[in-house]
Amino acid sequence: HVQLVESGGGSVQAGGSLTLSCTGYGNLLEVNCMGWFRQVPGKEREGVASIEKNGSITYAASVKGRFTISQDNSKNTLYLQMNSVKSEDAGIYTCAAIWGRRGSCGTDSNDYNYWGQGTQVTVS
């Protein structure tokens, strides 16, 4: 029903900024929530931020004040602006969607039923 494609990953210096994008394709009308998650080898996937269809936003404590999630519905694109990047922000960032369901829109990966392939963020 939905395909999510991330872009914008790469290498960033500690203290620098990077913007990730996630473009959605398919039946997006039933998407009620979008989120960003990250994972490093050996660790569990961590929810970073989420944005509900009505604009309600949730951030993980570790990124609050540094990262900004936003969406441009005209472009079917979700963004994650990462500022003041730290070494612990490195990982594979994946966007995800909750399709066809209403209710929880947070950083619990179990709530999401569509996932992108991920984009690598390296911090030097």
Side-chain angles (χ1 to χ4, degrees), residues 81-110:
Q81 174 69 42
M82 305 166 61
N83 296 329
S84 302
V85 173
K86 302 177 181 180
S87 58
E88 53 262 42
D89 293 324
I92 297 174
Y93 282 71
T94 307
C95 67
I98 299 177
W99 187 95
R101 303 179 201 159
R102 296 186 183 276
S104 179
C105 179
T107 52
D108 185 347
S109 61
N110 293 315

Side-chain angles (χ1 to χ4, degrees), residues 46-67:
E46 176 190 12
V48 174
S50 65
I51 183 166
E52 201 165 357
K53 202 170 189 176
N54 63 10
S56 179
I57 289 174
T58 301
Y59 291 105
S62 58
V63 306
K64 206 167 188 178
R66 300 187 298 118
F67 290 10

Side-chain angles (χ1 to χ4, degrees), residues 12 16 23 30 40 51 56 81 90 93 106 121:
V12 58
T23 301
E30 295 296 326
V40 295
I51 183 166
S56 179
Q81 174 69 42
Y93 282 71
V121 172

